Amino acid sequence: METILIVLCFLSFLLLSPIALSEKCNPQDKKALLRIKKELNNPYVLASWDPHTDCCEWYCIECDEKTHRITALTIQSSVPDTNLSGHIPPSVGDLPYLENLEFHKFPRLTGPIQPTIAKLTNLKYLLITWTNVSGPIPSFLSQLKNLQLLHLSFNNLTGPIPPSLSQLSNLLSLKLDRNKLTGPIPDSFGSFKKPGPDIILSHNQLSGPIPASLGQLDPERIDFSRNKLEGDASMLFGSKKRTQILDVSRNLLSFDFSKVDFPKQSLIWLDLNHNKIYGNIPVALTKVENLQQFNVSYNSLCGKIPQGGELQKRFDEYAYFHNKCLCGPPLPPCK
Ligand SMILES: *[C@@H]1O[C@H](CO)[C@@H](O)[C@H](O)[C@H]1NC(C)=O
Ligand SMILES: *[C@@H]1O[C@H](CO)[C@@H](O)[C@H](O)[C@H]1NC(C)=O
Ligand SMILES: *[C@@H]1O[C@H](CO)[C@@H](O)[C@H](O)[C@H]1NC(C)=O
Ligand SMILES: *[C@@H]1O[C@H](CO)[C@@H](O)[C@H](O)[C@H]1NC(C)=O
């Protein structure tokens, strides 16, 4: 009789609390997540974070299949979500197995890039994009040696780019575009492990010359557009590179375009508009096979546009207009 009662009790316990036995979530991780939810003032996007359920089943979370430790915290919205407000929660630093941390499209997420992120040495992906996070890009990020993607686009970040970021030897993609960053592109960037990450720095207030050391790198994508960079950019060119996208438009760059060569197989996008680039357009450009986007308008170029390749077939006068004395198709004939 007693045994039957115990069995019955146990059965009802099983029925009433199905998760208690099957919960995979690590209790420390769960505690940290619930603190995170509280620190963000219980936003609607985290409504599924119910303390009575297994946190490995919550939205925005991924657990490791074997250890069940939290490996990803990706809080994202497809439309700007103003329900979430406050700072990046300090408790994100208490998820030691995190490999992926992401906040996307929260205009009312403010304050600094949380210093406790320095503890997350397993991070491979750090994406804080389209928020109002402000202050400087902290140099402690250079200690996160496993980082592959560092995307801090579309925020309210100010100050200079920390030179120490070049110590991130696993970095594949660095996006710091659409902030209010000032100062130069660090000279140290030339010492990124070869071939170097894609570097997207557009829509900031970066100034000074592009470091000559960047010529040693060979990333697939470079976008320095809409800054105040001046002087030479010819180190970014070369026939042996594998560049696909090179956009340095809307700067104050000034160099002799006649002297550069191009990666003829890889280059698909070359935008140089609104600079002070001089010389003429090299014939080598007619040999670039897959050029899909090209713009040298608003510069100080001169001479006859080379005929052939994609240069007339694909691009009209608006790719060439407002130069010093460029001429020939698709512009009016040379005199
Ligand atoms: C904001 O919260 C309300 C409920 O409070 C919800 O209906 C709405 O979808 C949320 N907005 C977004 C963008 O998630
Ligand atoms: C930052 O906040 C301002 C006003 O509070 C808003 O207009 C802007 O869209 C926000 N930026 C982002 C990227 O969400
Ligand atoms: C953006 O940062 C500036 C300081 O650099 C600050 O005054 C402003 O309030 C911030 N904007 C938002 C919406 O947080
Ligand atoms: C080139 O850039 C100029 C200036 O921004 C723009 O007016 C023009 O439409 C662009 N042309 C092409 C072909 O993209």
Side-chain angles (χ1 to χ4, degrees):
M1 185 65 193
E2 216 171 272
T3 340
I4 292 175
L5 262 182
I6 291 172
V7 169
L8 276 177
C9 267
F10 184 64
L11 276 178
S12 64
F13 167 78
L14 270 188
L15 288 173
L16 288 175
S17 54
I19 22 104
L21 289 174
S22 63
E23 171 142 14
K24 290 182 193 150
C25 182
N26 176 283
Q28 298 304 113
D29 287 352
K30 190 170 193 172
K31 268 190 213 151
L33 290 172
L34 289 170
R35 283 199 304 276
I36 288 169
K37 184 177 179 183
K38 195 167 165 226
E39 285 162 0
L40 286 170
N41 311 306
N42 297 315
Y44 182 75
V45 67
L46 303 182
S48 70
W49 291 20
D50 173 354
H52 303 296
T53 60
D54 183 352
C55 81
C56 289
E57 305 293 327
W58 295 352
Y59 288 167
C60 313
I61 298 293
E62 261 174 51
C63 286
D64 182 83
E65 275 182 28
K66 292 203 182 88
T67 65
H68 308 305
R69 298 304 300 249
I70 305 287
T71 54
L73 173 61
T74 53
I75 306 181
Q76 314 159 327
S77 179
S78 49
V79 292
D81 180 350
T82 52
N83 288 336
L84 182 147
S85 65
H87 292 190
I88 296 176
S91 297
V92 296
D94 300 330
L95 295 168
Y97 294 86
L98 215 53
E99 293 175 10
N100 185 0
L101 177 60
E102 193 164 337
F103 289 93
H104 178 66
K105 267 205 187 160
F106 297 106
R108 292 174 64 196
L109 186 67
T110 57
I113 294 183
Q114 178 51 241
T116 61
I117 290 176
K119 293 195 275 179
L120 301 174
T121 51
N122 288 306
L123 273 190
K124 290 182 185 156
Y125 311 111
L126 177 59
L127 292 81
I128 301 169
T129 50
W130 203 306
T131 76
N132 260 305
V133 163
S134 60
I137 296 176
S139 54
F140 72 70
L141 294 176
S142 62
Q143 295 159 29
L144 304 176
K145 296 294 181 205
N146 292 303
L147 274 186
Q148 295 176 13
L149 266 55
L150 178 56
H151 291 181
L152 303 174
S153 312
F154 228 119
N155 293 302
N156 194 14
L157 298 168
T158 51
I161 300 175
S164 59
L165 292 184
S166 64
Q167 294 164 20
L168 292 169
S169 56
N170 290 300
L171 205 60
L172 301 172
S173 174
L174 176 65
K175 294 191 180 179
L176 308 176
D177 56 299
R178 292 176 191 265
N179 281 289
K180 296 174 189 160
L181 302 174
T182 51
I185 298 175
D187 198 23
S188 64
F189 272 24
S191 60
F192 265 117
K193 193 173 160 220
K194 314 286 173 287
D198 290 346
I199 307 180
I200 314 297
L201 306 176
S202 65
H203 295 259
N204 279 295
Q205 292 149 32
L206 301 173
S207 58
I210 298 175
S213 61
L214 260 58
Q216 294 160 38
L217 300 184
D218 190 13
E220 288 179 347
R221 291 185 61 184
I222 289 181
D223 186 351
F224 294 165
S225 64
R226 293 180 190 255
N227 279 290
K228 295 174 189 160
L229 300 168
E230 57 190 51
D232 192 14
S234 63
M235 79 295 278
L236 303 177
F237 292 82
S239 60
K240 301 236 158 61
K241 291 194 187 273
R242 43 171 212 144
T243 322
Q244 294 174 4
I245 295 178
L246 178 55
D247 188 345
V248 292
S249 63
R250 295 187 185 255
N251 277 289
L252 306 164
L253 298 168
S254 167
F255 61 95
D256 187 350
F257 197 42
S258 330
K259 299 230 165 80
V260 304
D261 205 346
F262 310 92
K264 302 191 176 54
Q265 258 123 55
S266 62
L267 192 64
I268 51 182
W269 185 298
L270 180 60
D271 198 341
L272 307 174
N273 85 72
H274 282 93
N275 278 292
K276 298 189 266 181
I277 301 166
Y278 54 89
N280 46 38
I281 297 179
V283 178
L285 204 52
T286 63
K287 303 285 193 292
V288 177
E289 295 160 5
N290 293 310
L291 201 58
Q292 289 164 26
Q293 174 78 24
F294 174 68
N295 200 331
V296 292
S297 67
Y298 293 90
N299 276 293
S300 302
L301 295 166
C302 230
K304 187 164 190 282
I305 298 170
Q307 305 293 296
E310 302 296 316
L311 293 189
Q312 283 73 33
K313 233 191 302 179
R314 210 185 264 269
F315 309 110
D316 62 14
E317 66 200 85
Y318 298 104
Y320 301 95
F321 71 160
H322 287 279
N323 268 287
K324 193 169 155 206
C325 46
L326 271 187
C327 56
L331 293 178
C334 302
K335 286 179 197 121

